[in-house]
Amino acid sequence: MDSNEATTSESVSKKKGKTKKVKRKVKHDEAPVQEMEQAEGEETEKKSESGPCFPPTFSVSEIKNKQRRHSMFLKLKEEKRKKKKKERKALGDKAPPKEVPKTIENQRIYDETTVNPEDEEVAFDEGTDEFSAYFNRLTNPKVLITTSDRPRGRTVRFCEQLATVIPHAHVYYRRGLALKRVIPQCVSRGFTYLMVINEDRKVPNGLVLCHLPDGPTAHFKVSNVRLRKEMKRRGKDPTEHVPEVILNNFTTRLGHSIGRMFAALFPHDPQFVGRQVATFHNQRDFIFFRFHRYIFKNEKKVGIQELGPRFTLKLRSLQKGTFDSKFGEYEWVHKVRSKSKISFTIYKNTFKYA
Amino acid sequence: MQHDDVIWDLIGNKSFCSYKVKTKTQQFCRNEYNITGLCNRSSCPLANSQYATVREEKGLCYLYMKVIERAAFPARMWEKVKLDRNYAKALEQIDENLIYWPRFIRHKCKQRLTKITQYLIRIRKLTLKRQRKLVPLSRKVERREKRREEKALIAAQLENAIEKELLDRLKQGTYGDIYNFPIHAFDKAMEKQEEDTESEEEEEEDEEESGTREFVAEDEFEESDLSDFEDMNNLKGSSDEEEDDEEVSSEEEETEEELEEEKTKAKSKGKAPLKGPIRKKRAYVEIEYEQETEPAQKSKAT
């Protein structure tokens, strides 16, 4: 019986090269299992004799042995695929167009607030909003990074690494000062940005980004913070050169204003000698931050190496003035959807992505 | 009848007192009117018919007094006196109300008043400072967001996106002349020039022949040098006749291209380390290396 099963199992799974495993399994077989496998053995014998033709009432799901079932299923799939390819080829031009799989990005309904680059209204707004001073090259960014009360080691290190990534950034210890008092002091010392990293349970989990001469305040949720020493295959520490900035997928009005906020963190003229690039990539409302060093191997290939910390942000609220949680005027607040079932398409109409 | 000792005998030691909390080293009394908070013979409000406490309500301190005369009227048992907000005056008030009372109770009342005022001051100070607001996280929402973030990360394909963006910027020329690759525009220009030369050759072969007769002499030179490289050309499967013809035409192309290359090189800022095919084309200028690039050019010409 054992030898019989061995042979049948071998014939079935020859191609897959799982003979070793099946043999081992056969060794472990006990009496009751053997009976079932005998029955299967008969079936598999039939199969092996008749090749790809199966008895009419047989389906792959009836095989009890998981490995064999899996291998039979894969074979079945491959045959189907080949058949389909043949048919497609045979049809030639008349073949129906290849189906594109549905993704969330495909299915998104068009957001009316998407920014059209030639839009006059948007251009006018951008000419007169709080970042116009930066974009007209009147001010240079100067960032103050601080934390919430009593930061733990991880947050402190994160702040330090952020300060190396963002040029002209200074880290200050928060001695229990109220933000409302910190802000006028910052303004008087010429800072353009205030970044407060909130901490919870020894891990940074929030970021308040406040543009200083009464600019908008954005509150983000921070997640997946990875410090430099936790990065795999990372490069050397970033140099003092001003990095380039890449902002991806900030398409709607709200996204556009957030994108400008991030852009205004960095000085205008990147030093290409440094070959460093900071990326803010928006995907489905999550903003991924990465810091890389790139090198062009030829005109079609570029190699990138990740340095620096990485984290993801999710916008929670955008407030018009400087930080004022009680009396501030909120432009946008993330509302957690209610329990009612909303259709898939409406869900995908997220705020920043087209 | 109020037999304090009997009461204490029962609740203190022998029997049960519902206000008593026992720990390893000490016994506490949970009675709200207890002045010290410990379970003692002198601190127990049940076992003392004459008793006084200081309690605080909404930021105001009150003195509570109990006397044996009112022991039969539980509703009126405790006399409540509002103490002054001023600490010193409140102390005087206590003294005034508890005159002739046992020293222990007076002392403990004042101590309790001190403690209460201290913590009231602290509360007021803290409310002026920043308050930490605890925002509850919904576990389900957090779980969902985490999963969505993972999926978004996969969908983002960050490295591809970044590389694409960098290459786009290189093409657009934001990096200026820092990188000396033969950029696509340059390649296209080269291809166009090759096509032009081919067309020109077809139209005006005579003129070209006359113009390049000088070079033909050099070509002969090359042909002799080429003898070593005939094998290479044979490997590529082209006959000798074809080679000769193609050599002539390709060399003509080469020469024209050389001229054009020199012009373009002059236009470019002449940076030293040129990479890629430009290097090879530069080698064309030296006769020795012209042969190497012939096969490559043949492929382009065809």
Side-chain angles (χ1 to χ4, degrees), chain B residues 13-236:
Chain B
N13 292 319
K14 282 188 200 166
S15 189
F16 176 77
C17 174
S18 64
Y19 297 107
K20 193 193 280 190
V21 172
K22 261 187 165 176
T23 39
K24 255 191 204 171
T25 46
Q26 221 177 35
Q27 292 171 355
F28 294 99
C29 183
R30 283 191 307 129
N31 194 321
E32 356 170 88
Y33 289 98
N34 190 311
I35 195 160
T36 54
L38 310 168
C39 190
N40 284 327
R41 175 66 184 88
S42 43
S43 317
C44 189
L46 307 173
N48 289 306
S49 5
Q50 197 185 41
Y51 200 75
T53 329
V54 175
R55 274 172 73 188
E56 177 258 336
E57 209 176 295
K58 292 183 192 170
L60 294 169
C61 303
Y62 297 93
L63 175 68
Y64 288 81
M65 289 179 287
K66 168 174 115 161
V67 290
I68 196 164
E69 283 85 22
R70 295 197 300 273
F73 311 108
R76 287 182 262 147
M77 200 153 63
W78 289 98
E79 184 186 341
K80 185 171 169 179
V81 174
K82 184 170 170 182
L83 294 173
D84 204 75
R85 278 188 197 241
N86 186 341
Y87 176 66
K89 282 192 187 161
L91 284 176
E92 285 172 11
Q93 274 180 316
I94 289 179
D95 267 332
E96 192 189 306
N97 278 307
L98 297 181
I99 195 168
Y100 309 129
W101 278 58
R103 211 181 304 140
F104 176 78
I105 290 185
R106 258 188 286 148
H107 184 62
K108 288 296 173 187
C109 279
K110 286 184 205 167
Q111 275 191 336
R112 206 176 158 91
L113 175 70
T114 314
K115 214 29 156 260
I116 288 172
T117 46
Q118 282 173 352
Y119 81 62
L120 285 175
I121 290 170
R122 215 157 148 248
I123 287 174
R124 276 180 237 135
K125 225 192 258 178
L126 284 175
T127 51
L128 289 177
K129 272 194 178 180
R130 301 153 43 240
Q131 304 258 5
R132 190 162 262 212
K133 187 178 173 190
L134 293 175
V135 176
L137 297 174
S138 169
R139 223 177 294 162
K140 250 195 204 173
V141 172
E142 291 302 308
R143 241 191 295 148
R144 277 191 213 141
E145 290 220 330
K146 195 172 152 205
R147 185 71 187 131
R148 276 177 205 156
E149 190 187 321
E150 286 168 15
K151 291 196 166 178
L153 183 62
I154 294 168
Q157 295 179 343
L158 280 170
E159 306 199 338
N160 292 347
I162 295 174
E163 287 174 7
K164 195 175 139 200
E165 176 67 31
L166 288 171
L167 287 170
D168 285 341
R169 286 190 185 178
L170 180 66
K171 269 188 209 171
Q172 276 177 6
T174 45
Y175 298 127
D177 288 324
I178 302 173
Y179 300 104
N180 297 314
F181 304 119
I183 314 167
H184 274 301
F186 189 72
D187 279 336
K188 282 176 193 167
M190 294 306 296
E191 286 173 13
K192 274 185 196 169
Q193 286 162 359
E194 287 176 17
E195 289 168 6
D196 292 337
T197 53
E198 284 176 21
S199 59
E200 283 175 12
E201 283 170 15
E202 289 167 2
E203 291 166 2
E204 305 166 4
E205 274 185 348
D206 298 331
E207 292 179 359
E208 287 183 334
E209 280 173 10
S210 63
T212 56
R213 264 177 201 163
E214 300 170 2
F215 292 96
V216 170
E218 293 174 353
D219 294 342
E220 287 173 358
F221 249 122
E222 293 166 352
E223 286 173 7
S224 60
D225 292 333
L226 271 175
S227 59
D228 296 327
F229 291 90
E230 275 176 359
D231 293 337
M232 276 185 60
N233 292 330
N234 285 332
L235 284 174
K236 302 241 169 174

Side-chain angles (χ1 to χ4, degrees), chain A residues 90-128:
Chain A
L91 281 178
D93 281 333
K94 293 184 203 165
K98 224 174 183 183
E99 292 168 42
V100 179
K102 288 187 193 173
T103 60
I104 289 184
E105 278 76 26
N106 294 351
Q107 301 298 98
R108 215 172 277 270
I109 59 179
Y110 181 74
D111 196 349
E112 306 98 23
T113 60
T114 308
V115 168
N116 189 6
E118 297 112 34
D119 203 344
E120 283 176 1
E121 193 189 322
V122 172
F124 176 72
D125 274 341
E126 289 181 4
T128 53

Side-chain angles (χ1 to χ4, degrees), chain A residues 81-344:
Chain A
R81 223 183 299 151
K82 280 186 189 165
K83 205 169 136 195
K84 197 171 183 186
K85 213 175 176 183
K86 263 190 195 171
E87 284 176 13
R88 230 193 138 73
K89 239 185 177 179
L91 281 178
D93 281 333
K94 293 184 203 165
K98 224 174 183 183
E99 292 168 42
V100 179
K102 288 187 193 173
T103 60
I104 289 184
E105 278 76 26
N106 294 351
Q107 301 298 98
R108 215 172 277 270
I109 59 179
Y110 181 74
D111 196 349
E112 306 98 23
T113 60
T114 308
V115 168
N116 189 6
E118 297 112 34
D119 203 344
E120 283 176 1
E121 193 189 322
V122 172
F124 176 72
D125 274 341
E126 289 181 4
T128 53
D129 76 352
E130 296 103 352
F131 299 107
S132 56
Y134 167 79
F135 283 103
N136 293 332
R137 295 184 174 243
L138 292 171
T139 56
N140 279 325
K142 194 175 170 195
V143 182
L144 177 74
I145 303 181
T146 183
T147 63
S148 55
D149 285 338
R150 302 195 180 227
R152 310 289 296 200
R154 208 177 153 83
T155 312
V156 170
R157 268 176 278 146
F158 180 54
C159 286
E160 287 167 19
Q161 291 184 6
L162 263 185
T164 58
V165 164
I166 302 174
H168 308 301
H170 306 268
V171 181
Y172 278 92
Y173 178 61
R174 176 98 170 270
R175 298 172 91 257
L177 301 168
L179 276 182
K180 284 193 203 167
R181 290 207 194 136
V182 169
I183 285 172
Q185 284 188 23
C186 284
V187 174
S188 65
R189 294 195 197 179
F191 282 98
T192 55
Y193 262 104
L194 173 68
M195 207 191 265
V196 183
I197 294 175
N198 188 50
E199 189 196 349
D200 180 49
R201 295 215 192 139
K202 310 179 193 180
V203 143
N205 76 340
L207 176 76
V208 174
L209 189 59
C210 185
H211 185 78
L212 274 183
D214 56 54
T217 309
H219 175 48
F220 295 95
K221 176 176 94 149
V222 171
S223 48
N224 281 354
V225 172
R226 228 189 262 189
L227 301 174
R228 232 168 250 151
K229 65 177 181 180
E230 294 157 15
M231 306 276 240
K232 295 181 186 175
R233 291 188 283 265
R234 67 176 169 103
K236 292 184 186 173
D237 287 338
T239 56
E240 292 293 319
H241 297 111
V242 173
E244 300 171 46
V245 182
I246 292 181
L247 297 164
N248 276 344
N249 288 344
F250 287 93
T251 44
T252 59
R253 281 298 290 271
L254 180 58
H256 213 65
S257 53
I258 301 280
R260 281 160 69 80
M261 228 179 157
F262 286 131
L265 270 174
F266 294 88
H268 281 284
D269 301 310
Q271 294 171 318
F272 298 123
V273 183
R275 286 186 286 125
Q276 288 170 147
V277 58
T279 310
F280 291 90
H281 183 104
N282 172 32
Q283 186 83 15
R284 302 184 193 172
D285 292 353
F286 288 99
I287 302 171
F288 298 102
F289 173 83
R290 300 286 186 269
F291 194 72
H292 291 279
R293 184 171 280 143
Y294 63 88
I295 179 162
F296 284 106
K297 294 177 192 167
N298 55 39
E299 78 273 14
K300 287 192 187 168
K301 245 189 170 186
V302 60
I304 54 175
Q305 190 189 41
E306 187 157 8
L307 340 161
R310 65 153 79 158
F311 51 92
T312 52
L313 301 170
K314 186 161 201 249
L315 182 69
R316 280 233 197 94
S317 69
L318 181 64
Q319 189 194 343
K320 215 154 161 69
T322 54
F323 182 76
D324 190 341
S325 43
K326 286 187 211 166
F327 306 110
E329 179 195 336
Y330 282 94
E331 263 185 48
W332 187 86
V333 174
H334 174 58
K335 288 200 181 128
V336 180
R337 285 185 306 124
S338 58
K339 277 188 185 177
S340 60
K341 286 259 173 184
I342 302 179
S343 71
F344 200 39

Side-chain angles (χ1 to χ4, degrees), chain A residues 13-64:
Chain A
S13 49
K14 215 193 285 177
K15 283 183 195 174
K16 301 298 168 181
K18 290 182 186 172
T19 47
K20 285 183 190 171
K21 280 191 186 170
V22 179
K23 276 180 192 166
R24 263 188 244 144
K25 253 206 162 180
V26 169
K27 281 180 198 167
H28 289 305
D29 279 343
E30 291 174 356
V33 185
Q34 280 176 356
E35 290 172 359
M36 284 213 300
E37 294 200 62
Q38 249 196 333
E40 292 160 38
E42 291 170 1
E43 288 179 342
T44 51
E45 274 179 31
K46 281 185 205 167
K47 273 178 257 149
S48 54
E49 285 167 14
S50 56
C53 316
F54 302 115
T57 54
F58 174 76
S59 84
V60 181
S61 56
E62 281 174 22
I63 307 178
K64 298 289 183 180

